[in-house]
Structure formats: structure tokens, C-alpha cells
Amino acid sequence: MQTVRDLMTTNVDVCTPVDNVYEVALKMKDLNVGAIPIVDNNQLVGMITDRDLVVRGIAEKHPGSNTVTDVMSDHLITIGPDASLQEASALMAEHQIRRLPVVENGQLIGIVSLGDLATNQYSDEQAGVALSEISEQDHQ
């Protein structure tokens, strides 16, 4: 059985709570990613997605100089590296998320995305179900 550890991205760029929103947006652009984890003293404390930048940043009229803590999500759904790909897919579908931080002893060790699951033959069907459920919620 494949686990999250087998599929997760391990080279994850992060920001810290003292970084500002502009720095996060620039990192997203440079790396062509839609989410940046926020880490403090090696502990995962939040995540900022491109949607957070729009909804909690621009729409709330927070300037780019605001700290990431003003716009980050801090109630995170995470998964352990030894969980099955089916568990990851089920968590994503249940919580309507496309990216799942992989945490071990409170430390971020990777991220598994819906795209990772979709490109894996074993989990292709589960990823399709998760994506369908997430997409349905997005349009309600």
C-alpha cells in the first residue's frame, strides 16, 4: 500500500509569521504555486493560499505590507506521512481542500496535493471522487 510519504512533495518553500503578504504573493508567483505554508520555529502554524490573498487580503483592503498572520488560515487540516493515499483523498474531499500539509511531530515535512493524487494510478479514482466533491462545493 502506498502512503502519503511515497507521493508528497518534500521540497516545500515556506514563509514565517514575520513575512508580509507581498513577500508571500511574490513567492507564489516565482514558484508558480497556489499555497505557501507558514512555519514558526519549525512548526507549521498556518497556510496562505492564492484565494486567501484575494478574499482576506485585497477584498478586506489589507495592504501588501500586512503580516501573513492577517490573512493566513490557521485552522489547518493535516495528515501524517504514513497515512494511506485513500485517507488523504477522503480528508481532502471531506474538508474541501486541494492541498494537505504533511506533518510529523508538529513539523511540516511535505505537502500532498489533489494533483499529486490524480497523477498516481493507484489513487486516480479516489482523486477523481475528491475533485468532484470539492468542485461541487465550490459551485454551491
Side-chain angles (χ1 to χ4, degrees):
M1 172 182 79
Q2 283 189 303
T3 65
V4 169
R5 187 185 309 274
D6 298 325
L7 205 59
M8 70 184 187
T9 299
T10 56
N11 186 17
V12 179
D13 277 282
V14 300
C15 285
T16 70
V18 298
D19 290 322
N20 66 41
V21 173
Y22 173 77
E23 292 166 323
V24 172
L26 190 59
K27 188 171 276 200
M28 282 183 188
K29 177 185 175 222
D30 290 346
L31 298 172
N32 194 29
V33 297
I36 300 288
I38 309 304
V39 175
D40 190 20
N41 293 322
N42 295 323
Q43 300 291 304
L44 179 66
V45 297
M47 178 92 79
I48 294 186
T49 65
D50 43 11
R51 187 174 197 293
D52 291 331
L53 291 176
V54 172
V55 174
R56 294 186 189 140
I58 296 168
E60 294 293 324
K61 299 183 181 177
H62 287 129
S65 59
N66 272 341
T67 63
V68 297
T69 54
D70 291 335
V71 297
M72 75 179 192
S73 299
D74 58 3
H75 291 72
L76 300 179
I77 305 302
T78 63
I79 196 162
D82 297 320
S84 72
L85 299 181
Q86 185 175 9
E87 289 174 90
S89 180
L91 265 178
M92 289 177 177
E94 178 185 349
H95 296 282
Q96 304 299 301
I97 54 177
R98 290 178 166 84
R99 300 165 194 94
L100 196 54
V102 183
V103 175
E104 192 169 49
N105 300 320
Q107 295 188 356
L108 178 71
I109 62 168
I111 289 184
V112 65
S113 72
L114 195 55
D116 294 332
L117 294 176
T119 59
N120 181 279
Q121 285 185 335
Y122 174 80
S123 62
D124 196 32
E125 184 177 322
Q126 291 96 346
V129 169
L131 180 58
S132 294
E133 291 179 17
I134 291 169
S135 295
E136 285 173 16
Q137 290 295 323
D138 283 350
H139 292 96
Q140 291 181 1

mmCIF file of all heavy atoms in Angstrom, residues 7-28:
data_model
loop_
_atom_site.group_PDB
_atom_site.id
_atom_site.type_symbol
_atom_site.label_atom_id
_atom_site.label_comp_id
_atom_site.label_asym_id
_atom_site.label_seq_id
_atom_site.Cartn_x
_atom_site.Cartn_y
_atom_site.Cartn_z
ATOM 1 N N LEU A 7 4.250 9.870 -2.014
ATOM 2 C CA LEU A 7 3.750 10.754 -3.054
ATOM 3 C C LEU A 7 3.974 12.242 -2.780
ATOM 4 O O LEU A 7 3.948 13.054 -3.690
ATOM 5 C CB LEU A 7 2.238 10.505 -3.197
ATOM 6 C CG LEU A 7 1.590 10.829 -4.518
ATOM 7 C CD1 LEU A 7 2.218 10.031 -5.649
ATOM 8 C CD2 LEU A 7 0.103 10.522 -4.440
ATOM 9 N N MET A 8 4.191 12.599 -1.535
ATOM 10 C CA MET A 8 4.238 14.014 -1.152
ATOM 11 C C MET A 8 5.436 14.742 -1.756
ATOM 12 O O MET A 8 6.462 14.146 -2.052
ATOM 13 C CB MET A 8 4.281 14.154 0.371
ATOM 14 C CG MET A 8 5.576 13.704 1.010
ATOM 15 S SD MET A 8 5.497 13.797 2.812
ATOM 16 C CE MET A 8 7.198 13.423 3.232
ATOM 17 N N THR A 9 5.264 16.036 -1.929
ATOM 18 C CA THR A 9 6.357 16.918 -2.318
ATOM 19 C C THR A 9 7.112 17.263 -1.051
ATOM 20 O O THR A 9 6.514 17.680 -0.055
ATOM 21 C CB THR A 9 5.792 18.203 -2.960
ATOM 22 O OG1 THR A 9 5.060 17.833 -4.121
ATOM 23 C CG2 THR A 9 6.899 19.174 -3.314
ATOM 24 N N THR A 10 8.415 17.089 -1.057
ATOM 25 C CA THR A 10 9.196 17.336 0.160
ATOM 26 C C THR A 10 9.960 18.647 0.128
ATOM 27 O O THR A 10 10.320 19.175 1.169
ATOM 28 C CB THR A 10 10.197 16.189 0.408
ATOM 29 O OG1 THR A 10 11.025 16.035 -0.745
ATOM 30 C CG2 THR A 10 9.467 14.892 0.695
ATOM 31 N N ASN A 11 10.210 19.174 -1.042
ATOM 32 C CA ASN A 11 10.940 20.430 -1.164
ATOM 33 C C ASN A 11 9.932 21.578 -1.156
ATOM 34 O O ASN A 11 9.570 22.103 -2.198
ATOM 35 C CB ASN A 11 11.776 20.430 -2.448
ATOM 36 C CG ASN A 11 12.673 21.642 -2.549
ATOM 37 O OD1 ASN A 11 12.929 22.321 -1.553
ATOM 38 N ND2 ASN A 11 13.139 21.923 -3.745
ATOM 39 N N VAL A 12 9.477 21.953 0.044
ATOM 40 C CA VAL A 12 8.396 22.927 0.180
ATOM 41 C C VAL A 12 8.969 24.259 0.660
ATOM 42 O O VAL A 12 9.611 24.318 1.702
ATOM 43 C CB VAL A 12 7.334 22.423 1.186
ATOM 44 C CG1 VAL A 12 6.222 23.440 1.348
ATOM 45 C CG2 VAL A 12 6.788 21.068 0.746
ATOM 46 N N ASP A 13 8.730 25.312 -0.122
ATOM 47 C CA ASP A 13 9.138 26.652 0.305
ATOM 48 C C ASP A 13 8.112 27.181 1.290
ATOM 49 O O ASP A 13 6.914 26.970 1.123
ATOM 50 C CB ASP A 13 9.235 27.596 -0.898
ATOM 51 C CG ASP A 13 10.555 27.462 -1.608
ATOM 52 O OD1 ASP A 13 11.544 28.008 -1.094
ATOM 53 O OD2 ASP A 13 10.589 26.802 -2.661
ATOM 54 N N VAL A 14 8.593 27.871 2.318
ATOM 55 C CA VAL A 14 7.718 28.375 3.374
ATOM 56 C C VAL A 14 7.998 29.855 3.632
ATOM 57 O O VAL A 14 9.003 30.393 3.176
ATOM 58 C CB VAL A 14 7.917 27.583 4.694
ATOM 59 C CG1 VAL A 14 7.614 26.112 4.494
ATOM 60 C CG2 VAL A 14 9.311 27.772 5.262
ATOM 61 N N CYS A 15 7.098 30.478 4.371
ATOM 62 C CA CYS A 15 7.308 31.816 4.911
ATOM 63 C C CYS A 15 7.119 31.725 6.423
ATOM 64 O O CYS A 15 6.723 30.675 6.939
ATOM 65 C CB CYS A 15 6.317 32.811 4.306
ATOM 66 S SG CYS A 15 6.727 33.280 2.600
ATOM 67 N N THR A 16 7.407 32.826 7.103
ATOM 68 C CA THR A 16 7.259 32.865 8.557
ATOM 69 C C THR A 16 6.240 33.940 8.928
ATOM 70 O O THR A 16 5.887 34.780 8.092
ATOM 71 C CB THR A 16 8.599 33.196 9.251
ATOM 72 O OG1 THR A 16 8.923 34.558 8.970
ATOM 73 C CG2 THR A 16 9.711 32.273 8.789
ATOM 74 N N PRO A 17 5.760 33.940 10.165
ATOM 75 C CA PRO A 17 4.787 34.953 10.587
ATOM 76 C C PRO A 17 5.284 36.394 10.475
ATOM 77 O O PRO A 17 4.481 37.316 10.430
ATOM 78 C CB PRO A 17 4.501 34.591 12.047
ATOM 79 C CG PRO A 17 4.765 33.132 12.123
ATOM 80 C CD PRO A 17 5.938 32.917 11.200
ATOM 81 N N VAL A 18 6.583 36.609 10.411
ATOM 82 C CA VAL A 18 7.085 37.984 10.295
ATOM 83 C C VAL A 18 7.159 38.459 8.847
ATOM 84 O O VAL A 18 7.368 39.638 8.598
ATOM 85 C CB VAL A 18 8.466 38.163 10.983
ATOM 86 C CG1 VAL A 18 8.367 37.885 12.468
ATOM 87 C CG2 VAL A 18 9.522 37.294 10.329
ATOM 88 N N ASP A 19 6.954 37.553 7.901
ATOM 89 C CA ASP A 19 6.923 37.949 6.495
ATOM 90 C C ASP A 19 5.635 38.715 6.207
ATOM 91 O O ASP A 19 4.645 38.578 6.920
ATOM 92 C CB ASP A 19 7.004 36.725 5.584
ATOM 93 C CG ASP A 19 8.371 36.065 5.621
ATOM 94 O OD1 ASP A 19 9.381 36.793 5.700
ATOM 95 O OD2 ASP A 19 8.434 34.824 5.577
ATOM 96 N N ASN A 20 5.669 39.501 5.149
ATOM 97 C CA ASN A 20 4.449 40.232 4.799
ATOM 98 C C ASN A 20 3.748 39.575 3.610
ATOM 99 O O ASN A 20 4.293 38.705 2.940
ATOM 100 C CB ASN A 20 4.712 41.720 4.586
ATOM 101 C CG ASN A 20 5.587 42.016 3.391
ATOM 102 O OD1 ASN A 20 5.449 41.412 2.346
ATOM 103 N ND2 ASN A 20 6.483 42.971 3.543
ATOM 104 N N VAL A 21 2.522 40.015 3.371
ATOM 105 C CA VAL A 21 1.672 39.440 2.340
ATOM 106 C C VAL A 21 2.307 39.573 0.956
ATOM 107 O O VAL A 21 2.234 38.654 0.138
ATOM 108 C CB VAL A 21 0.272 40.100 2.392
ATOM 109 C CG1 VAL A 21 -0.592 39.670 1.233
ATOM 110 C CG2 VAL A 21 -0.410 39.767 3.717
ATOM 111 N N TYR A 22 2.940 40.704 0.686
ATOM 112 C CA TYR A 22 3.589 40.900 -0.609
ATOM 113 C C TYR A 22 4.655 39.829 -0.849
ATOM 114 O O TYR A 22 4.753 39.280 -1.953
ATOM 115 C CB TYR A 22 4.209 42.301 -0.688
ATOM 116 C CG TYR A 22 5.036 42.503 -1.928
ATOM 117 C CD1 TYR A 22 4.425 42.740 -3.157
ATOM 118 C CD2 TYR A 22 6.425 42.434 -1.877
ATOM 119 C CE1 TYR A 22 5.174 42.907 -4.314
ATOM 120 C CE2 TYR A 22 7.184 42.601 -3.025
ATOM 121 C CZ TYR A 22 6.560 42.832 -4.237
ATOM 122 O OH TYR A 22 7.298 42.987 -5.374
ATOM 123 N N GLU A 23 5.457 39.521 0.172
ATOM 124 C CA GLU A 23 6.508 38.511 0.027
ATOM 125 C C GLU A 23 5.918 37.139 -0.300
ATOM 126 O O GLU A 23 6.470 36.392 -1.109
ATOM 127 C CB GLU A 23 7.347 38.440 1.305
ATOM 128 C CG GLU A 23 8.177 39.685 1.543
ATOM 129 C CD GLU A 23 8.749 39.780 2.945
ATOM 130 O OE1 GLU A 23 8.074 39.391 3.912
ATOM 131 O OE2 GLU A 23 9.894 40.254 3.061
ATOM 132 N N VAL A 24 4.796 36.813 0.316
ATOM 133 C CA VAL A 24 4.134 35.542 0.031
ATOM 134 C C VAL A 24 3.635 35.518 -1.410
ATOM 135 O O VAL A 24 3.833 34.542 -2.132
ATOM 136 C CB VAL A 24 2.967 35.294 1.016
ATOM 137 C CG1 VAL A 24 2.166 34.073 0.605
ATOM 138 C CG2 VAL A 24 3.487 35.132 2.430
ATOM 139 N N ALA A 25 2.987 36.600 -1.841
ATOM 140 C CA ALA A 25 2.465 36.674 -3.208
ATOM 141 C C ALA A 25 3.602 36.553 -4.225
ATOM 142 O O ALA A 25 3.471 35.854 -5.239
ATOM 143 C CB ALA A 25 1.695 37.975 -3.412
ATOM 144 N N LEU A 26 4.708 37.220 -3.962
ATOM 145 C CA LEU A 26 5.859 37.158 -4.860
ATOM 146 C C LEU A 26 6.421 35.735 -4.921
ATOM 147 O O LEU A 26 6.756 35.233 -5.998
ATOM 148 C CB LEU A 26 6.934 38.143 -4.387
ATOM 149 C CG LEU A 26 8.101 38.383 -5.329
ATOM 150 C CD1 LEU A 26 7.627 38.909 -6.676
ATOM 151 C CD2 LEU A 26 9.081 39.360 -4.699
ATOM 152 N N LYS A 27 6.495 35.067 -3.776
ATOM 153 C CA LYS A 27 6.991 33.690 -3.740
ATOM 154 C C LYS A 27 6.061 32.772 -4.526
ATOM 155 O O LYS A 27 6.520 31.912 -5.279
ATOM 156 C CB LYS A 27 7.139 33.208 -2.291
ATOM 157 C CG LYS A 27 7.828 31.861 -2.183
ATOM 158 C CD LYS A 27 8.162 31.504 -0.748
ATOM 159 C CE LYS A 27 9.471 32.164 -0.378
ATOM 160 N NZ LYS A 27 10.132 31.561 0.781
ATOM 161 N N MET A 28 4.749 32.970 -4.381
ATOM 162 C CA MET A 28 3.793 32.164 -5.147
ATOM 163 C C MET A 28 4.017 32.358 -6.645
ATOM 164 O O MET A 28 3.999 31.396 -7.417
ATOM 165 C CB MET A 28 2.355 32.557 -4.801
ATOM 166 C CG MET A 28 1.859 32.002 -3.516
ATOM 167 S SD MET A 28 0.124 32.481 -3.308
ATOM 168 C CE MET A 28 -0.149 31.915 -1.638
#
